[in-house]
Amino acid sequence: MKNDLKYVGKSIPIHDVKEKVSGKLKYAGDMQLPGMLHGKLLLSSVAHGRIKKIDVSKAEALEGVVKVFTHENSPNTLYNSHKWFVGMEITKDERLFTDHVRFVGDRIAAVVAKDRFTAERAVNLIEIEYEELSVVVDPEEAINLKDYYIGQKKIESGNVDDVFSKASIVIEDSVETPKIHHAAMETHVCVASPGIHGDVTVWTPCQVVFQVRLIVAEVLGMPLNKVRAIKASMGGSFGGKGQPVLEPVCAFLAKAMDTPVKLQMDRTESIIGTRTRTATRGTIKTAVSEDGMILGRDIHMLVDTGAYYTNGDAVTMAMAKKAFRLYKIKDQRFVGDVVYTNTPIGGACRGYGSPQIHVLSEINMDNVARRLGMDPAELRLRNLVHPFDKDPINGPDLGNARAIDCVTEGMKVFDWKQKRLRPKTSGRIVRGVGMACATHGNGYHGGYQDFITMSLRMTEDGGVFLNSGIHDLGCGTVMTMKQIVAEVLDVEIDKILAPEGDTLVSPFDVAGTQASRVTFVCGSCAMKVAEQVKEKFIGCASKILQCSPEEVVMEAGEVWSSKSETVKYSYGKMITDIQSKFQDDISVSYTYTSPANPGVYAANFVEVEIDTLTGLVKVLDVLAVHDIGKAINPGFVEGQVQGAIQMGIGFALSEEIKVDRNGKISGDKFSKYHVINGPSMPDVKVLLIEEGEEHGPFGAKSIGEISTCAIAPAIVNAINAALDINITSLPVTPEKIIKALQEK
């Protein structure tokens, strides 16, 4: 790996920073199209029931209302918003509008009006008569009901039962994680406009434009080429906009009205009516030897996918696979049962099951250490995977796995041993430290197809045009691709154009921004296509320079022969000469298929302060150590980690979409759903382990999802260690802490 990199490894600002800080950037919610109407959804206030009667007459009579749509005058096509490629077999149980509501927040109707305020007024005029049905919100109840039980996923290596029959030390825990909201600044929004040839264009802040095209086409019964999906500027997603929620509805409304329509949700609607992090209840048993070696592990996860199927089985399998890729455990079993409940829908959320499985396993690891009287970090060091280990369930190899480096370096920088061994205070305010490890992946190789096509052209003025289906979610994807191309071609960043996904003009990308694949897979494609363009450029230039290809020098936008450095061409001049002399263009289209899916690893160290009178917890200090291979843009990496820590603290301490026994939701607005704000954020230090990865661009691996996987269990472990308690239910609220202290 090169050490004299010019663009890669530099903290260059995001490509649209000036537009964002000046307020000039236009989001989908800012769009205004000629003749545009405004849509407003009516969401169910009942958790489970059938609509006996729906009366829209008062709404349609309101001045400014154009039309109201329900299940009676809209497509009845079944679909699954999780489907992202043609041929994917998956249960279909969603509709645009339903007459059988399954949760508070289910879509019942949409009003289309001349302005947003009229649409909002009209929604409140729709009258509905329900036949209310029994409500199931407890997954433990759902698992025993035929209509609610989806199925089971199981993975096993070795002989787990034999290990446990002989083990003398077994530590068992039960852990619960809640549904949470992604809390992106931008709520869900979409704009759609019909074309004159029976087509429709959709502008959406999404994560997979080709998935949007697919779902819209399926629901509306249209050919793929009649649907154009354009990635709009995004105000955050974190998985919340990973599945098309509004897009098929908005496209239908625009087609039906034959005019542009904007459909936008408010915060409450985004919390209850889109997607959540999947709630889980897990049990784990770990058999260990006296010296701290893990002999075997048995995990059961009860996965609550909510009211619709979406990705319930996929996120369960994602949890399962992560359980086998962090510690060297020969004999291990994972069983996951997936159920429906009459609660908000589970879906993609940053980490895609990894935060849940690591909360379970890492809280248990600390309890193993406590039982053995060991340092929790030392226990992990004895059992963590090593570089280039094989996956025990025959998945992709782990690659240059640097989990051990994360822990050893983190212990030094955090001063772990000294902080852990300091005397415990006995007053009202107590401090404690904790840590946890985590793993994640780099794309879909080994599970699903994972390829992307990009085209790259050197232009006549010395610029570069990278055409691809990338999506920038605010994390710097566009600039990351530019830095990779700039490094290969040695061209200034500002001379590279890299637009985001547009299904009409972008080459096909099978998976978009999901599965932590962007830098590792899409970045590798950008690197490969740039290398091929460079090879072609050098081949043609060598003929003009009358030298061998090996003697051609490309540097800082100029090209020359090493034998005659006095004659230099600008890239642009060389391009025009190549066009003139050879009637050729320096452009390449390349399809890259990911050959690997190595693990990424993290260790988080935290210090917390607990008020034992109120139960309030303050996170004082965080050290996030990450095995990233190579940071293409260290500033972006640090930004990803900072944001992920904020999400993880909320997951650990305060965030929860609360659903009562009748399916009513109380955590449906920010006054009742408590995210961690700026003044509550600790000092977050980031330490990167950059030891390279064979198949990553310049050795890079992912950071976006792994960065939120270890922080919650680290915080819980710190609280439990400081107070000598064992809370295993998230979020760790003050009430739970006070109760645990009273029960000591």
Side-chain angles (χ1 to χ4, degrees):
M1 186 169 58
K2 291 169 60 179
N3 294 317
D4 56 343
L5 300 176
K6 188 173 182 180
Y7 298 101
V8 167
K10 305 299 187 295
S11 295
I12 302 171
I14 196 168
H15 71 288
D16 54 3
V17 61
K18 292 181 180 179
E19 292 81 3
K20 283 179 175 174
V21 299
S22 65
K24 294 180 179 179
L25 188 67
K26 298 299 181 183
Y27 295 89
D30 299 317
M31 290 182 63
Q32 297 292 332
L33 299 178
M36 187 173 74
L37 300 175
H38 295 261
K40 180 69 176 180
L41 293 176
L42 173 62
L43 304 182
S44 173
S45 60
V46 171
H48 191 202
R50 296 189 183 278
I51 296 176
K52 297 171 63 176
K53 182 181 179 181
I54 182 166
D55 185 352
V56 302
S57 58
K58 292 180 181 179
E60 290 189 325
L62 185 66
E63 184 178 356
V65 171
V66 182
K67 196 170 182 63
V68 178
F69 292 92
T70 70
H71 69 277
E72 296 175 345
N73 59 350
S74 62
N76 195 37
T77 308
L78 287 173
Y79 67 99
N80 187 320
S81 55
H82 173 60
K83 181 177 179 179
W84 75 85
F85 61 87
V86 175
M88 183 178 181
E89 297 296 328
I90 192 167
T91 298
K92 298 178 180 180
D93 58 3
E94 300 173 56
R95 290 182 173 89
L96 290 185
F97 305 109
T98 185
D99 62 345
H100 179 187
V101 297
R102 300 189 184 189
F103 72 107
V104 173
D106 214 346
R107 284 196 306 268
I108 296 176
V111 171
V112 181
K114 292 183 178 180
D115 62 79
R116 178 167 59 91
F117 304 104
T118 300
E120 290 174 351
R121 288 179 58 202
V123 161
N124 295 323
L125 298 176
I126 298 174
E127 298 176 350
I128 305 171
E129 183 181 345
Y130 294 101
E131 174 195 354
E132 294 200 39
L133 303 173
S134 60
V135 176
V136 177
V137 299
D138 186 347
E140 298 284 357
E141 179 184 353
I143 198 172
N144 297 312
L145 299 174
K146 179 181 177 181
D147 291 341
Y148 286 83
Y149 183 65
I150 292 175
Q152 186 177 90
K153 298 293 182 181
K154 182 177 180 180
I155 300 178
E156 185 170 0
S157 63
N159 192 329
V160 177
D161 292 330
D162 183 58
V163 167
F164 278 94
S165 69
K166 300 174 182 177
S168 59
I169 303 175
V170 177
I171 294 84
E172 182 173 356
D173 285 295
S174 296
V175 177
E176 183 175 4
T177 68
K179 292 180 181 289
I180 70 164
H181 173 55
H182 306 78
M185 287 192 291
E186 177 192 43
T187 59
H188 282 66
V189 59
C190 182
V191 175
S193 179
I196 61 174
H197 301 293
D199 55 321
V200 65
T201 299
V202 180
W203 290 266
T204 168
C206 67
Q207 294 186 208
V208 193
V209 287
F210 288 100
Q211 179 183 19
V212 170
R213 182 183 71 167
L214 173 61
I215 296 297
V216 170
E218 281 196 359
V219 173
L220 302 187
M222 299 173 64
L224 290 173
N225 286 341
K226 289 288 186 177
V227 179
R228 181 182 184 184
I230 301 174
K231 162 64 172 59
S233 296
M234 179 180 281
S237 174
F238 317 112
K241 294 164 188 163
Q243 295 178 0
V245 176
L246 296 185
E247 291 88 345
V249 180
C250 193
F252 163 69
L253 297 177
K255 288 275 289 179
M257 303 308 302
D258 196 29
T259 195
V261 173
K262 180 190 293 183
L263 186 59
Q264 187 163 9
M265 286 178 146
D266 61 25
R267 180 59 60 184
T268 293
E269 291 167 333
S270 283
I271 290 175
I272 69 172
T274 59
R275 300 293 181 264
T276 72
R277 185 182 294 286
T278 307
T280 65
R281 294 184 185 179
T283 59
I284 181 170
K285 294 192 299 183
T286 302
V288 293
S289 64
E290 291 283 358
D291 61 352
M293 301 304 296
I294 299 176
L295 305 175
R297 195 162 68 174
D298 198 357
I299 296 173
H300 178 262
M301 293 291 280
L302 179 54
V303 179
D304 176 5
T305 195
Y308 289 93
Y309 194 95
T310 58
N311 66 333
D313 61 344
V315 76
T316 303
M317 287 301 293
M319 295 180 202
K321 292 177 181 178
K322 304 304 181 296
F324 290 82
R325 291 169 68 88
L326 182 58
Y327 298 108
K328 296 170 72 73
I329 306 173
K330 178 184 176 184
D331 300 284
Q332 183 170 202
R333 176 167 55 217
F334 176 98
V335 177
D337 286 301
V338 189
V339 297
Y340 290 115
T341 57
N342 297 120
T343 64
I345 308 167
C349 187
R350 195 176 197 170
Y352 207 85
S354 289
Q356 296 98 309
I357 194 66
H358 287 112
V359 164
L360 178 72
S361 64
E362 291 301 285
I363 290 176
N364 178 251
M365 283 295 285
D366 258 43
N367 286 331
V368 170
R370 188 185 303 191
R371 166 65 177 79
L372 297 175
M374 289 185 63
D375 181 323
E378 295 291 349
L379 172 68
R380 288 170 171 84
L381 287 174
R382 295 189 183 196
N383 293 281
L384 285 166
V385 296
H386 290 72
F388 309 108
D389 276 352
K390 300 293 183 181
D391 186 298
I393 55 174
N394 298 316
D397 291 350
L398 304 187
N400 193 10
R402 294 289 171 169
I404 292 174
D405 297 45
C406 289
V407 175
T408 55
E409 294 304 310
M411 290 173 70
K412 296 174 188 175
V413 174
F414 189 75
D415 199 11
W416 166 258
K417 287 187 177 294
Q418 182 174 338
K419 288 181 178 178
R420 181 177 172 272
L421 295 176
R422 67 191 174 197
K424 289 187 177 181
T425 56
S426 57
R428 172 177 168 178
I429 305 300
V430 176
R431 286 191 176 189
V433 295
M435 59 89 60
C437 297
T439 185
H440 202 67
N442 286 268
Y444 280 125
H445 175 77
Y448 296 100
Q449 51 188 304
D450 198 357
F451 63 89
I452 178 173
T453 299
M454 292 184 176
S455 64
L456 192 146
R457 180 175 184 266
M458 296 181 71
T459 62
E460 296 83 349
D461 61 353
V464 175
F465 174 38
L466 177 68
N467 191 14
S468 70
I470 58 174
H471 307 68
D472 200 309
L473 310 189
C475 55
T477 295
V478 168
M479 182 56 71
T480 297
M481 298 301 122
K482 286 185 175 185
Q483 287 179 256
I484 291 169
V485 170
E487 193 65 56
V488 174
L489 297 178
D490 201 350
V491 63
E492 293 178 12
I493 293 283
D494 291 343
K495 291 188 175 182
I496 301 174
L497 174 64
E500 297 184 64
D502 177 342
T503 58
L504 180 65
V505 296
S506 299
F508 185 67
D509 178 8
V510 73
T513 297
Q514 50 183 341
S516 291
R517 69 186 289 268
V518 173
T519 298
F520 187 75
V521 180
C522 304
S524 291
C525 186
M527 184 174 179
K528 297 290 186 184
V529 74
E531 289 173 344
Q532 291 187 11
V533 162
K534 181 177 182 178
E535 182 180 3
K536 184 175 182 179
F537 180 68
I538 287 176
C540 293
S542 67
K543 297 175 182 177
I544 292 174
L545 295 170
Q546 296 183 344
C547 66
S548 69
E550 293 75 22
E551 293 170 328
V552 174
V553 179
M554 292 176 64
E555 186 176 314
E558 292 186 317
V559 56
W560 65 89
S561 168
S562 59
K563 295 193 304 182
S564 178
E565 297 188 15
T566 57
V567 180
K568 294 185 177 181
Y569 290 70
S570 68
Y571 285 179
K573 179 62 168 63
M574 181 59 75
I575 290 293
T576 57
D577 280 10
I578 290 170
Q579 291 175 345
S580 176
K581 294 181 181 295
F582 306 123
Q583 299 190 58
D584 201 357
D585 189 37
I586 303 301
S587 62
V588 171
S589 180
Y590 177 71
T591 299
Y592 176 81
T593 301
S594 181
N597 187 353
V600 283
Y601 295 88
N604 283 183
F605 297 81
V606 303
E607 182 173 11
V608 301
E609 183 177 86
I610 308 117
D611 184 331
T612 58
L613 180 64
T614 64
L616 290 170
V617 177
K618 184 176 182 180
V619 181
L620 302 175
D621 193 21
V622 174
L623 173 65
V625 192
H626 284 277
D627 162 34
I628 194 172
K630 173 66 180 178
I632 301 296
N633 186 312
F636 291 165
V637 172
E638 184 172 347
Q640 286 275 38
V641 175
Q642 294 275 353
I645 295 300
Q646 184 269 350
M647 289 187 72
I649 296 174
F651 185 43
L653 299 179
S654 62
E655 294 189 39
E656 181 179 14
I657 299 174
K658 297 180 181 179
V659 184
D660 69 17
R661 58 185 297 179
N662 297 313
K664 301 298 183 181
I665 301 170
S666 59
D668 61 353
K669 51 181 66 71
F670 279 161
S671 60
K672 298 179 180 179
Y673 182 92
H674 303 299
V675 298
I676 302 300
N677 55 29
S680 298
M681 277 294 290
D683 181 22
V684 179
K685 302 179 181 67
V686 180
L687 176 62
L688 302 181
I689 307 298
E690 298 184 272
E691 294 295 329
E693 184 63 51
E694 178 185 2
H695 297 289
F698 297 98
K701 294 192 284 190
S702 67
I703 189 65
E705 293 187 274
I706 181 68
S707 51
T708 201
C709 295
I711 182 62
I715 292 170
V716 177
N717 288 338
I719 294 169
N720 286 337
L723 301 178
D724 195 25
I725 57 177
N726 187 30
I727 294 177
T728 60
S729 173
L730 271 60
V732 183
T733 59
E735 293 81 1
K736 291 177 183 177
I737 290 176
I738 296 300
K739 182 180 179 182
L741 289 173
Q742 291 172 346
E743 293 175 349
K744 278 182 63 175

